[in-house]
Amino acid sequence: MADLILHHYPTSPFAQKVRTAMGLKKLAWKSVIIPNIMPKPDLMPMTGGYRKTPVLQVGADIYCDTQIILRALQRLRPDPPLTPAGHEGVAEALAYWADRTLFWPAVGVVMGQVGDKLPESFRKDRTEFSGRDFDPVKLAAALPMARDQLYAGLAHVETMLADGRVFMLGGLPSLADVAVYNPVWFVRARLGEQASPLDRLPHIAAWAQRMAGFGEGTPTELSGPDALAIAKAADPAIPDGVDAHDPGGLKAGARIAVTPDDTGKVPVVGELVTLNALEVAVRRIDERAGTVVVHFPRAGYVLSPA
Ligand SMILES: N[C@@H](CCC(=O)N[C@@H](CS)C(=O)NCC(=O)O)C(=O)O
C-alpha cells in the first residue's frame, strides 16, 4: 500500500482539516513541510503550478484541494468512514459550505488582530494570492464584519449541537466536523479558546475539545526531494476516465487548464484523464516528478482548453 504523503505546514487551517482526518482514522503518514509563501520549489514540479496548501501525494498521484484529498483518503483508507452511510451527501454539502463561507471570516478575525505582526514577505504573498490588499490597517477595520460573519455561520453549527449530539451529524464524526473544525481550530490556535465569537458558542467549545482529541495520526518526516523521487519511481494509478456525456463536452486526451476560481489562480495544464461530476484529473510530465496525474475537485475549479 503506497504511503500517504502530505505536503503542508503546521499553521495551515486547511492542512489541519486533513491532519484531523488522519487522526480520526488513526493513520500513519509522511509529512513534507513546505514553505507558507511562494516559492515552493519542490512542490511545483509535482502539481504543475497549484500552490495552495495542503497537497496529498500517493506515489505519482497528486491530490490538490482538501475536497479531493479527503475523498482520496476515504477511498484508500475507508475505516472509519468520513461520510457515514446514508449521510454522504449532507456531509459533503456541509463541508463545502464550511470551506466556502467560514474560512474567510475566520481569516478576517485572525488577521484583523495579528496582521500587523506578520512579515512583509507574507503580506506581499497573500496580496498576490488573494487579489486583495493584505493591509493590516484595513484588516483591523474589517474585523467587526469578519467576526459577525463567522458568528452567523457558526451559529448554525451551535444549533445542530444544542440537542446534545456528540458530532454534527449525530453520534459519529464526519467530514462535516473536520471541515468546520478548520476555521474553529485556526481562531483557537491563533487567538485562544475564548476569542470572540467562540466565547459565545459553548456547544462548539465542547465539540472542539472532542475534535482536538482525535489528534493527527502518526506523521513521519520526509524531505521534498525524497517525495519527488517517490513520484518519479511510481506509475500513476489507472484513472477513472472521462464521462463522454459531461455537459462541458470535453474529451479524454484534450489538453486543458484547471484553475481555482477563488485564490491562488495558477492554471495547471495537462492531458485530461478523468472527468465526472466530482473530479477532474490531468496527466502531465515533469523532469523532476516524472509522469504524474494531478487530481482536483470539480467544484470551485474552472476548466479551459490549453
Ligand atoms: N480550497 C482549498 C483551499 C486551500 C487554501 O486556501 N489553503 C491556504 C492555507 S490554509 C493556502 O493555500 N494559503 C497559501 C499558501 O499556503 O501558499 C482546499 O480545500 O484545500
Side-chain angles (χ1 to χ4, degrees):
M1 203 159 41
D3 284 337
L4 303 167
I5 304 172
L6 189 67
H7 298 253
H8 68 132
Y9 53 87
T11 55
S12 158
F14 272 100
Q16 188 60 38
K17 181 178 165 190
V18 178
R19 291 188 298 254
T20 302
M22 298 284 198
L24 202 154
K25 286 176 168 289
K26 298 189 169 56
L27 295 176
W29 50 285
K30 301 274 188 257
S31 164
V32 179
I33 300 298
I34 57 172
N36 67 350
I37 58 172
M38 292 297 277
K40 306 187 184 191
D42 295 331
L43 186 68
M44 292 304 107
M46 207 93 74
T47 65
Y50 181 85
R51 62 149 295 181
K52 298 199 201 190
T53 310
V55 167
L56 179 74
Q57 173 192 355
V58 183
D61 283 275
I62 312 300
Y63 297 89
C64 298
D65 194 292
T66 57
Q67 278 184 72
I68 200 87
I69 291 176
L70 292 186
R71 280 185 214 133
L73 270 191
Q74 189 48 37
R75 199 183 59 250
L76 297 167
R77 308 284 195 276
D79 288 320
L82 282 171
T83 49
H87 296 288
E88 294 87 349
V90 75
E92 284 275 5
L94 276 171
Y96 196 54
W97 165 79
D99 287 358
R100 289 260 158 169
T101 70
L102 299 182
F103 176 68
W104 279 105
V107 168
V109 166
V110 170
M111 295 306 167
Q113 296 177 75
V114 305
D116 59 343
K117 296 179 184 66
L118 294 166
E120 180 57 32
S121 54
F122 183 88
R123 292 188 218 163
K124 210 166 151 261
D125 180 86
R126 288 307 189 265
T127 299
E128 210 170 285
F129 175 73
S130 68
R132 279 181 287 187
D133 193 11
F134 192 108
D135 172 352
V137 176
K138 287 188 192 153
L139 287 166
L143 172 60
M145 168 72 176
R147 184 204 53 222
D148 291 356
Q149 294 308 304
L150 185 61
Y151 187 40
L154 287 178
H156 295 311
V157 179
E158 185 74 5
T159 302
M160 290 179 210
L161 296 170
D163 64 5
R165 66 182 75 181
V166 188
F167 296 106
M168 285 170 60
L169 299 183
L172 294 173
S174 76
L175 182 56
D177 296 285
V178 295
V180 171
Y181 187 54
N182 152 2
V184 171
W185 172 86
F186 190 44
V187 175
R188 281 164 58 99
R190 298 300 285 262
L191 303 173
E193 292 175 15
Q194 282 306 308
S196 180
L198 300 181
D199 55 338
R200 306 217 39 211
L201 300 163
H203 297 293
I204 289 183
W207 161 90
Q209 297 287 3
R210 292 195 281 281
M211 294 305 294
F214 287 122
E216 302 181 353
T218 315
T220 320
E221 273 183 41
L222 183 73
S223 73
D226 284 351
L228 277 165
I230 290 171
K232 192 155 193 175
D235 290 322
I238 295 169
D240 285 351
V242 173
D243 173 3
H245 304 291
D246 187 83
L250 286 166
K251 300 287 172 246
R255 199 175 145 79
I256 64 158
V258 185
T259 313
D261 71 358
D262 50 2
T263 52
K265 296 184 192 175
V266 184
V268 174
V269 174
E271 176 201 339
L272 182 65
V273 292
T274 295
L275 187 68
N276 56 52
L278 297 181
E279 178 174 347
V280 53
V282 294
R283 185 187 292 124
R284 40 178 303 282
I285 300 171
D286 178 274
E287 204 182 307
R288 290 180 70 201
T291 299
V292 292
V293 169
V294 190
H295 305 252
F296 300 88
R298 193 77 183 265
Y301 287 79
V302 179
L303 311 189
S304 51

